[in-house]
Amino acid sequence: MTDPLTDATQRAAELLRDHRDSIDRLDAILVYTLAERFKRTQAVGRLKAEHALPPSDPAREERQIARLERLAAEADLDAEFAKKFLTFIIGEVIRHHEKLQK
């Protein structure tokens, strides 16, 4: 006779492993997506440096944050978290652009 508690615990362990495997794949997607995004923003930074354009574009940044807040709401993601995340990314991009200007 099987122990129902053991069966439930084993099933929970399997589900946990499946969730963690999915999280690991999503983490990889995030890392590769961020890498691709920064490749594009580096290209933008080089273009701005070549043409003496300012490293930041506050109007675009505002539009991007507003856009991300809308996307977060549609995706059922905490909008404040999404805003903090994009603000961090924008800060890194500007820092890279400023380095390219020097």
Side-chain angles (χ1 to χ4, degrees), residues 2 21-22 26-27 37 46 48 52-53 65 79 82 84 90-91:
T2 61
D21 287 347
S22 180
L26 291 166
D27 286 344
R37 188 185 196 288
R46 285 189 298 276
K48 286 180 173 184
L53 297 170
I65 289 171
K84 285 179 186 177
I90 289 170

Side-chain angles (χ1 to χ4, degrees), residues 47-82:
L47 185 63
K48 286 180 173 184
E50 289 170 13
H51 296 279
L53 297 170
S56 68
D57 182 345
R60 175 166 167 71
E61 293 158 23
E62 284 182 32
R63 288 191 309 272
Q64 286 297 95
I65 289 171
R67 179 177 170 266
L68 189 77
E69 287 174 329
R70 286 190 306 276
L71 289 171
E74 291 171 12
D76 197 27
L77 177 66
D78 181 315
E80 191 58 34
F81 167 77

Side-chain angles (χ1 to χ4, degrees), residues 7 14 43 46 54-55 78 92-93 98:
D7 288 345
E14 290 172 11
R46 285 189 298 276
D78 181 315
E92 285 298 298
V93 168
E98 288 170 345

